[in-house]
Amino acid sequence: MIVAKFGGTSLASAGQVKKVCNIILSDSRRKVIVVSAPGKRNSDDIKVTNLLIKCAEAYIKTSNADKELNAVIDRFAGIGKELGVPDNVLASIADDITSRLKLYKGDNERFIDAMKAAGEDNCAKLVAGYLQSLGTDARYVNPGDAGLVLSNEFGNAQVLPESYNNLKALKDISGIIIFPGFFGYSREGDVVTFPRGGSDITGSILAAALDAELYENFTDVDCVYSVNPRIIPNPYPIRELTYREMRELAYAGFNVFHEEAMVPVYRKGIPVRIRNTNNPDAPGTTIVKERKNITRPVIGIASDDRFCCINIDKYLMNREIGFGRRVLKILEDERISYEHMPSGIDHISIVLNQQQLNKEKEERIINQVKKELAVDEISVMHNLALIMIVGEGMSETVGIAARATAAFARVGVNIEMINQGVSEISIMFGVKAKDTEKAVKSLYEEFFGDVRGS
Ligand code: ASP
């Protein structure tokens, strides 16, 4: 049995929904289908989820959201009419969206989540209605009825353990199940959504609960590429990746699959295949536990330039028990997470996403570290880019770091920091943000120059 998830661009228009249904019907193992809300039809378009957020915000502000509400209803009606979905299905979709406004009781977060979920929920009803009109045995299943229970963190929910047991009962339902992504219900019965892009997470939870043989994730690219296609056009396609590699490559250029979606399938060892709705014959990229065909040491190069680094020096730091813990406690108190922490005998660098800091927070952290830890020096380096080279084949291969550092040197890029874990499947390089493209191009030439454009 396969769980297949289709993203927003795959459901953006009637033509796209037809493609999706052809894919569903072309393999009888596709039993559980997870859908996103209709996404953008072109670059100027607005996703249904964003329309719904505007709708909720307008209603909170002015108690009137007629314009925004009609825009959402029109999107669904436009798609449904072109597909020949019966009028009663379209009327119930319009009713559902309109009636959600009545849920507003002054609790903004709860209300926004209930509105946001309308995109996926009604898209699932629409796709089920269309499949039924073709004579297919398909049905919409509500996540609440199926027992998808989430933490009550609005807009940032996490799956609760009882869900996995509850969802097993879906196996007893005949025909094709159309399941809306992105939301579930809290134990208190409220609609709660995952973080944005969270339909991937729903699909992964279902695949794990149902012990699927495969989790297919249909999107609008043929595969995962070895480097950000915005930096290198037509880069080398990756056919197979391990979960670990995908995780190490989480930075920009590799965000086709929501990072939180990896956890449920990873725990069960269920393979994930990224595929293109617009080109379903393309083999896609499969993410697996172990890879047998390791022909190249480096499988991917990820880069992201939104980081900063807190550098701390103190003589005899290595002898001071609890130094690292106390620094991290200061960050914890500011609700800040970090990405990497390369260190030396008298030195610690803490790399974190720059968006988590502002001037006041930065000053507070510096003052606190000075006060509590009597450090010799502390400074914050802004506009840092991280570049990761990743591959299971790097482990035990001699000379990878030499080749990488030579690639930086050839284009005159200074390496601010390097970090390699004992697993040896990735090396992280920190460079100035302005040097990112130059460095990535040179690394790509070094590790993929032999297959350029293939
Ligand atoms: N529709 C939601 C969003 O735009 C979730 C998803 O597409 O996965 O974030």
Side-chain angles (χ1 to χ4, degrees), residues 244-251 297-302 339-340 387-396 400-401 404 418-429:
R244 290 202 299 176
E245 287 173 327
M246 189 66 181
R247 187 67 197 116
E248 295 282 348
L249 288 166
Y251 298 134
V298 174
I299 192 84
I301 303 166
E339 305 283 316
H340 301 266
I387 301 177
M388 307 289 300
I389 61 169
V390 177
E392 299 275 355
M394 282 165 54
S395 140
E396 309 279 315
I400 300 297
I418 304 183
N419 200 10
Q420 184 196 272
V422 277
S423 73
E424 285 187 62
I425 77 153
S426 70
I427 308 178
M428 177 275 271
F429 298 93

Side-chain angles (χ1 to χ4, degrees), residues 55 65-75:
C55 187
D66 291 351
K67 195 174 100 217
E68 294 79 5
L69 194 72
N70 287 335
V72 178
I73 293 173
D74 286 352
R75 272 302 294 277

Side-chain angles (χ1 to χ4, degrees), residues 5-8 36-38 47-50 116 119-120 181-182 194-201 258:
K5 178 257 166 180
F6 292 87
S36 283
K47 289 171 122 189
V48 162
T49 309
N50 291 346
K116 263 154 83 182
E120 276 57 23
F182 191 40
F194 290 120
R196 293 300 303 270
S199 297
D200 286 353
I201 307 173
H258 199 291

Side-chain angles (χ1 to χ4, degrees), residues 301-367:
I301 303 166
S303 56
D304 207 325
D305 60 8
R306 291 168 305 158
F307 298 98
C308 65
C309 180
I310 304 175
N311 294 314
I312 304 173
D313 286 293
K314 184 174 184 186
Y315 192 66
L316 290 181
M317 186 189 285
N318 64 323
R319 302 273 297 276
E320 198 169 320
I321 292 170
F323 187 91
R325 181 185 54 75
R326 284 190 285 159
V327 175
L328 293 181
K329 176 76 174 67
I330 294 170
L331 293 184
E332 187 182 343
D333 291 343
E334 291 288 346
R335 310 285 310 139
I336 283 176
S337 65
Y338 71 92
E339 305 283 316
H340 301 266
M341 195 164 63
S343 64
I345 188 162
D346 287 339
H347 178 90
I348 277 189
S349 293
I350 305 167
V351 179
L352 42 103
N353 189 320
Q354 190 152 260
Q355 284 155 345
Q356 295 184 99
L357 277 189
N358 55 34
K359 231 177 160 356
E360 294 80 57
K361 265 193 184 187
E362 191 175 313
E363 268 168 27
R364 271 203 308 270
I365 291 169
I366 292 176
N367 290 337

Side-chain angles (χ1 to χ4, degrees), residues 93-387:
I93 290 176
D95 275 356
D96 173 84
I97 301 167
T98 314
S99 66
R100 284 179 196 241
L101 290 180
K102 297 199 196 85
L103 297 171
Y104 186 51
K105 303 270 184 304
D107 185 343
N108 294 1
E109 283 190 322
R110 175 181 289 136
F111 175 61
I112 291 174
D113 263 24
M115 289 303 291
K116 263 154 83 182
E120 276 57 23
D121 206 19
N122 288 295
C123 190
K125 290 178 194 162
L126 190 83
V127 172
Y130 176 58
L131 282 170
Q132 284 158 5
S133 75
L134 300 177
T136 308
D137 182 13
R139 73 204 74 246
Y140 156 84
V141 172
N142 177 277
D145 296 339
L148 179 56
V149 189
L150 309 184
S151 62
N152 59 1
E153 297 162 276
F154 296 104
N156 194 27
Q158 301 205 33
V159 64
L160 295 181
E162 64 260 38
S163 297
Y164 290 100
N165 222 357
N166 298 343
L167 292 165
K168 280 193 183 132
L170 290 176
K171 277 198 174 137
D172 303 330
I173 297 179
S174 67
I176 299 171
I177 291 170
I178 311 295
F179 199 101
F182 191 40
F183 74 96
Y185 288 79
S186 67
R187 286 182 181 145
E188 297 76 29
D190 289 316
V191 169
V192 262
T193 67
F194 290 120
R196 293 300 303 270
S199 297
D200 286 353
I201 307 173
T202 308
S204 181
I205 294 166
L206 287 174
L210 297 168
D211 274 317
E213 62 184 270
L214 178 66
Y215 173 29
E216 287 180 317
N217 200 283
F218 281 89
T219 171
D220 52 8
V221 291
D222 276 353
C223 58
V224 177
Y225 291 103
S226 51
V227 69
N228 191 343
R230 291 206 189 110
I231 301 181
I232 308 277
N234 193 22
Y236 183 70
I238 303 178
R239 295 277 165 256
E240 205 176 41
L241 264 177
T242 63
Y243 301 120
R244 290 202 299 176
E245 287 173 327
M246 189 66 181
R247 187 67 197 116
E248 295 282 348
L249 288 166
Y251 298 134
F254 290 84
N255 25 26
V256 282
F257 189 60
H258 199 291
E259 53 183 15
E260 285 182 39
M262 198 63 84
V263 183
V265 276
Y266 163 77
R267 289 201 181 123
K268 282 280 183 100
I270 296 167
V272 181
R273 188 164 298 151
I274 310 289
R275 306 190 65 174
N276 190 350
T277 300
N278 304 316
N279 185 14
D281 294 332
T285 300
T286 310
I287 308 166
V288 290
K289 198 171 200 156
E290 265 172 55
R291 205 150 63 78
K292 288 184 192 72
N293 290 333
I294 299 183
T295 48
R296 329 183 57 79
V298 174
I299 192 84
I301 303 166
S303 56
D304 207 325
D305 60 8
R306 291 168 305 158
F307 298 98
C308 65
C309 180
I310 304 175
N311 294 314
I312 304 173
D313 286 293
K314 184 174 184 186
Y315 192 66
L316 290 181
M317 186 189 285
N318 64 323
R319 302 273 297 276
E320 198 169 320
I321 292 170
F323 187 91
R325 181 185 54 75
R326 284 190 285 159
V327 175
L328 293 181
K329 176 76 174 67
I330 294 170
L331 293 184
E332 187 182 343
D333 291 343
E334 291 288 346
R335 310 285 310 139
I336 283 176
S337 65
Y338 71 92
E339 305 283 316
H340 301 266
M341 195 164 63
S343 64
I345 188 162
D346 287 339
H347 178 90
I348 277 189
S349 293
I350 305 167
V351 179
L352 42 103
N353 189 320
Q354 190 152 260
Q355 284 155 345
Q356 295 184 99
L357 277 189
N358 55 34
K359 231 177 160 356
E360 294 80 57
K361 265 193 184 187
E362 191 175 313
E363 268 168 27
R364 271 203 308 270
I365 291 169
I366 292 176
N367 290 337
Q368 205 61 18
V369 170
K370 280 185 181 160
K371 195 170 122 203
E372 282 187 31
L373 294 151
V375 298
D376 296 330
E377 226 168 286
I378 172 165
S379 61
V380 179
M381 182 180 156
H382 295 276
N383 302 323
L384 177 76
L386 295 186
I387 301 177

